[in-house]
Amino acid sequence: MTAPAAPITRPVAVPSDSLPPLRRRKPPSLHSTLSRVLIALIVIVQVYPLAWLFITSLRTEHDFATGDPFALPKSLTWENYARAFETGNLWLNILNSFIVTMGANVLIVLLGMMAAYALQVLGFRFSKFVRSLFLVGIIVPVQIALVPLFIDYSTINLLDTYPSMIIPLAGFALPMSIYLFSSFFEYIPRETYEAASLDGAGPYRIFGLITLPLSVNTVVTVVLVNSIFIWNDFIFANTFVLSEELKTIPLGLQNYIGAMGKTDWTATFAAVCITITPLLLVFLVLNKAMIQGLESGGSKG
């Protein structure tokens, strides 16, 4: 036995008058056009120096010295990168910058989170006043602390050490970090903490099991924002570092200045490309988490 064939349905013609009118795409407004043009200009201003830096690092020394420095190179070479490692102690400089950056970020995250947790979540009398005192540190210039810190470090034999750079870098970055963490903690529902307290969790357990896991994106935001300034720091390293073994990248780039002020520019540009590559890779990998951290509270405060 075979199943009965399905009836054949023919398409029914629909009159054109009953069809909904097609929506025409509106032309972009003046505000939208100006916004796009402005964004394109900002991207060009930000990307062009990096592109020019990389292209120049591949130019021959003679081509850069005799030709137009902003023109396209006539020939490319990787010799500048080899000469960059031969001229300066680049690996040691990168290692020192990595140690200082990681050490300062650990202090910034731990102290900033705990201070913001005490101010925003636990709360106490005059907590808002104490928070405002922390925020005053944002407007304090770092230059006024150089001489007092140098005197104190020389008294306690802390000059020419990693802590001499890590401590002031972390201290001056704490106000903004506390502000970001406090703004994020403000948007965590109070019912979450109350439920944990009813279950018998103390403040330390709540901090470790609730606040810390929820703050991952904000931690990434704080680390990336501060790492850019710490990695490129020159003023503290130049003031407190006296030996070649502890020089960071900004200080190590001075080795490319030869006698009578002659500078090997192509090797210097190659060294700069090498030293900024770790930051670019980290930023590209964690860019999404940074944006989410800003959207989840860092920018709302």
Side-chain angles (χ1 to χ4, degrees), residues 57 79-81 83-84 87 253 256 264-272:
S57 68
E79 182 184 354
N80 299 325
Y81 287 85
R83 197 166 66 254
T87 304
L253 293 178
Y256 297 92
D264 189 352
W265 289 113
T266 53
T268 303
F269 293 147
V272 173

Side-chain angles (χ1 to χ4, degrees), residues 173-192:
L174 273 178
M176 181 58 69
S177 303
I178 293 173
Y179 175 75
L180 290 175
F181 281 119
S182 299
S183 300
F184 172 73
F185 295 162
E186 185 179 355
Y187 289 90
I188 298 179
R190 301 292 301 182
E191 292 79 5
T192 305

Side-chain angles (χ1 to χ4, degrees), residues 10-167:
R10 296 181 180 180
V12 179
V14 180
S16 58
D17 297 338
S18 62
L19 293 175
L22 296 177
R23 293 183 180 180
R24 294 185 178 181
R25 194 173 183 179
K26 294 182 179 180
S29 61
L30 179 61
H31 180 269
S32 177
T33 304
L34 292 178
S35 300
R36 293 177 181 178
V37 171
L38 180 60
I39 293 174
L41 291 176
I42 294 175
V43 171
I44 293 174
V45 171
Q46 295 291 329
V47 174
Y48 174 74
L50 294 176
W52 179 83
L53 181 67
F54 177 72
I55 294 174
T56 307
S57 68
L58 297 175
R59 299 181 67 171
T60 61
E61 190 175 3
H62 181 267
D63 183 20
F64 180 77
T66 58
D68 185 4
F70 297 100
L72 293 176
K74 299 178 181 178
S75 60
L76 302 178
T77 178
W78 293 96
E79 182 184 354
N80 299 325
Y81 287 85
R83 197 166 66 254
F85 286 101
E86 295 173 358
T87 304
N89 201 350
L90 203 56
W91 285 119
L92 182 59
N93 300 145
I94 294 175
L95 177 61
N96 291 332
S97 293
F98 179 79
I99 293 174
V100 173
T101 303
M102 292 300 296
N105 276 319
V106 168
L107 289 179
I108 291 169
V109 171
L110 289 180
L111 299 179
M113 284 191 68
M114 290 189 292
Y117 180 76
L119 293 171
Q120 189 65 41
V121 178
L122 298 181
F124 54 89
R125 194 176 183 183
F126 304 118
S127 60
K128 293 184 179 180
F129 176 74
V130 174
R131 181 185 177 184
S132 64
L133 289 180
F134 276 112
L135 295 181
V136 171
I138 298 176
I139 64 175
V140 176
V142 299
Q143 290 80 4
I144 65 173
L146 293 178
V147 175
L149 285 175
F150 187 88
I151 296 174
D152 293 338
Y153 287 164
S154 61
T155 302
I156 60 178
N157 296 324
L158 202 61
L159 284 176
D160 203 24
T161 59
Y162 288 122
S164 64
M165 295 179 284
I166 293 175
I167 293 174

Side-chain angles (χ1 to χ4, degrees), residues 262-277:
K262 182 181 179 181
T263 305
D264 189 352
W265 289 113
T266 53
T268 303
F269 293 147
V272 173
C273 289
I274 295 171
T275 55
I276 66 175
T277 300

